[in-house]
Amino acid sequence: MEMARKKRDPKKVALAQAILEAYQPQTAQEMNNALKDLFGPLMESMLQGELNHHLGYESHDKGPKKDANRRNGYGKKKLKTTQGEVEIEVPRDRNGSFEPQLVQKRQRDISAIEQKVLSMYARGMSQRDISATIEDIYGFSMSHEMISEITDSVLTELEEWRNRPLKKCYAFVFVDCLYVTLRREYEAKECAVYVVLGYDIQGKKEILGLWTSESESKNYWMQIFDEIRSRGVEDLFFISMDGVSGLEAGAKAIFPQVVVQRCLVHMIRNSIKYVPAKEYKRFTQSLRKVYGAINLKAANTAFEQFCKEWASYPGAIGVWERNYHHVEQLYDYSSAVRKIMYTTNAIEAVNSSFRKVTKKGAFPNESALYKLLYLRITELEKKWATGHIPNWSMVLNQLMMMDQFKERIERYLHL
């Protein structure tokens, strides 16, 4: 069945026809130029309407006036619009009391370009690239100073975000670190950026915060967890981490009930350093039988076999022997819970997104770094806003069946 054609407003059709007759555009660019040409007269007519309302009479009204204020010619102004740069004439009054709302005094940009600049900056574009893109698309130039001023506008918002109150409970927390280059005292130095990602009790993702330090250390992680608590967090169920020395002790000093899980993916990466490249595939297949076993008994049997099979690589075996309790504790929990806690892939995906925008070079200071990462986080959170963690209801139900979590979930789920 053929769909009926949507009827157009006759007034709009007539207007479009008039524009076509007046300009006779042959290309999309010529049509765009026609619209740009019409923008000025349209804007001027609307401003004239504002002045009529302000004065209380039309321009050709011969009747009595409410006061002595009158029209006083026009002032020229160049506006930056999404159609490019357009010059308009702004009507004035004698008293100087006319305050147009459509285009306010001293306003030169009505293109909503600020959000476009912030969006490009959040995607890792340099100031030079942003300036060139704005000029290519909109036909007006934008200085590096102006771009910097626009991006600096988020600094107050950033500071509020870094100190905002957090939720009382996060079921899963993932911690990781990435390194960026900062210029300090005329010298470029590597700086550790600590990132903490949380899954709240409702199954929503949230970056709890960003911190920087000269290097990754157990003492600094403890300070981070202490700050998280001071911002309102009362309980964490699980922390997944990449094996930082002292992190487990630091976390449990602040949140005694938390279960700290070593990321098995990191353990695999650490262990294959001791294995010839040609053996990687077979080695990882043997490991998968261990951490992918159906229960702890099967995992222990597979681990014994693994140790015998790869005994000629004691360095690789040692990584797993020293950390095997992290494999064993996985089997204290159901499969849906294990699937979330056994790896830090969730936060590595976040850090991978950060690296895409930080790889462009050294940052002049911490503010520039935080500004870029914060804008990137706002982009990520737009994607997260409409979704939940896959199978979250199953995860929550499986945790509810365990005494150590049942009461805690009930306490925070209904807040």
Side-chain angles (χ1 to χ4, degrees):
M1 181 178 176
E2 187 176 348
M3 185 177 293
R5 184 181 178 188
K6 181 180 178 181
K7 290 186 177 181
R8 300 287 186 184
D9 185 333
K11 292 181 179 179
K12 293 180 181 178
V13 172
L15 177 60
Q17 193 61 42
I19 293 172
L20 289 173
E21 290 175 1
Y23 289 90
Q24 299 183 350
Q26 300 299 314
T27 65
Q29 182 59 49
E30 288 178 358
M31 176 60 76
N32 192 62
N33 291 339
L35 294 174
K36 178 180 176 180
D37 198 32
L38 291 169
F39 184 91
L42 180 62
M43 179 69 72
E44 289 171 355
S45 294
M46 293 175 73
L47 288 170
Q48 197 66 251
E50 280 197 55
L51 182 59
N52 290 344
H53 178 75
H54 177 71
L55 295 175
Y57 68 94
E58 302 288 329
S59 57
H60 301 295
D61 190 347
K62 303 296 185 180
K65 311 299 188 291
K66 68 177 183 179
D67 56 39
N69 196 13
R70 297 289 185 273
R71 300 169 194 278
N72 189 32
Y74 299 88
K76 290 187 176 182
K77 176 185 283 192
K78 285 186 177 181
L79 291 178
K80 292 176 179 177
T81 77
T82 51
Q83 299 295 326
E85 199 165 60
V86 176
E87 186 172 80
I88 64 169
E89 292 186 339
V90 181
R92 298 179 301 203
D93 64 333
R94 290 179 184 175
N95 293 351
S97 57
F98 177 46
E99 296 282 349
Q101 298 303 304
L102 183 63
V103 182
Q104 297 180 12
K105 289 182 178 179
R106 292 175 292 281
Q107 184 181 2
R108 302 285 177 181
D109 191 341
I110 59 169
S111 63
I113 206 71
E114 290 87 352
Q115 286 303 316
K116 297 177 178 66
V117 169
L118 291 175
S119 182
M120 286 187 278
Y121 192 79
R123 287 170 171 80
M125 289 180 66
S126 67
Q127 290 187 349
R128 179 173 299 180
D129 289 342
I130 293 172
S131 179
T133 301
I134 294 296
E135 188 157 12
D136 285 346
I137 296 175
Y138 302 109
F140 56 82
S141 61
M142 180 170 280
S143 68
H144 291 189
E145 290 76 14
M146 185 181 297
I147 294 171
S148 182
E149 185 176 324
I150 290 172
T151 57
D152 281 349
S153 67
V154 305
L155 289 176
T156 301
E157 185 181 324
L158 164 64
E159 196 61 27
E160 291 174 356
W161 177 84
R162 292 188 67 197
N163 294 288
R164 75 195 188 283
L166 297 172
K167 293 166 187 171
K168 291 182 180 294
C169 178
Y170 292 89
F172 295 87
V173 167
F174 306 86
V175 298
D176 199 11
C177 209
L178 72 150
Y179 285 84
V180 298
T181 304
L182 282 181
R183 294 193 195 99
R184 286 179 174 170
E185 299 177 358
Y186 309 104
E187 183 180 0
K189 292 184 178 180
E190 287 286 293
C191 175
V193 180
Y194 298 77
V195 188
V196 178
L197 170 69
Y199 291 179
D200 68 19
I201 206 75
Q202 306 286 348
K204 293 283 190 178
K205 289 184 181 181
E206 180 183 354
I207 302 289
L208 306 193
L210 300 169
W211 298 264
T212 54
S213 179
E214 291 288 336
S215 61
E216 194 172 9
S217 71
K218 61 181 181 182
N219 291 332
Y220 199 69
W221 274 118
M222 187 171 178
Q223 293 174 35
I224 288 172
F225 286 117
D226 194 37
E227 180 186 318
I228 287 172
R229 183 178 62 178
S230 72
R231 287 166 58 196
V233 179
E234 297 176 356
D235 198 357
L236 304 177
F237 293 177
F238 299 95
I239 294 177
S240 291
M241 52 96 171
D242 66 358
V244 179
S245 176
L247 188 149
E248 182 171 0
K252 287 190 172 181
I254 309 298
F255 299 101
Q257 291 181 288
V258 73
V259 176
V260 179
Q261 174 63 44
R262 179 85 184 270
C263 173
L264 299 193
V265 174
H266 278 86
M267 288 167 60
I268 292 170
R269 291 174 188 164
N270 291 338
S271 60
I272 62 174
K273 295 174 184 176
Y274 302 97
V275 177
K278 64 180 181 180
E279 299 279 23
Y280 284 179
K281 185 175 181 180
R282 197 164 63 88
F283 180 81
T284 54
Q285 285 175 341
S286 296
L287 273 175
R288 194 173 294 116
K289 294 176 183 177
V290 179
Y291 63 81
I294 194 168
N295 54 44
L296 180 57
K297 184 177 180 181
N300 289 338
T301 301
F303 186 59
E304 289 177 11
Q305 181 61 36
F306 168 78
C307 292
K308 291 176 183 177
E309 183 180 357
W310 298 96
S312 55
Y313 302 107
I317 297 295
V319 171
W320 290 89
E321 287 178 333
R322 289 191 298 274
N323 294 284
Y324 191 65
H325 63 283
H326 284 288
V327 177
E328 291 178 309
Q329 79 171 4
L330 282 172
Y331 291 95
D332 292 339
Y333 309 99
S334 58
S335 58
V337 177
R338 289 203 302 269
K339 189 173 182 179
I340 294 179
M341 65 184 283
Y342 89 97
T343 177
T344 57
N345 280 355
I347 195 166
E348 289 194 42
V350 171
N351 282 348
S352 175
S353 177
F354 287 166
R355 289 187 183 96
K356 288 178 182 177
V357 298
T358 57
K359 64 184 180 182
K360 58 186 179 183
F363 289 85
N365 50 55
E366 285 189 355
S367 288
L369 170 64
Y370 278 126
K371 182 170 64 175
L372 177 59
L373 293 181
Y374 171 67
L375 287 171
R376 190 61 185 153
I377 288 169
T378 60
E379 293 288 313
L380 291 174
E381 289 182 341
K382 289 175 187 175
K383 298 177 183 177
W384 297 343
T386 56
H388 287 77
I389 309 304
N391 299 318
W392 185 252
S393 58
M394 184 184 296
V395 171
L396 213 56
N397 278 302
Q398 290 178 356
L399 289 175
M400 284 284 287
M401 295 173 68
M402 305 180 70
D403 292 339
Q404 69 187 105
F405 297 111
K406 185 176 186 298
E407 184 181 335
R408 293 155 73 185
I409 291 173
E410 288 175 343
R411 184 191 316 153
Y412 295 111
L413 193 58
H414 301 295
L415 286 179

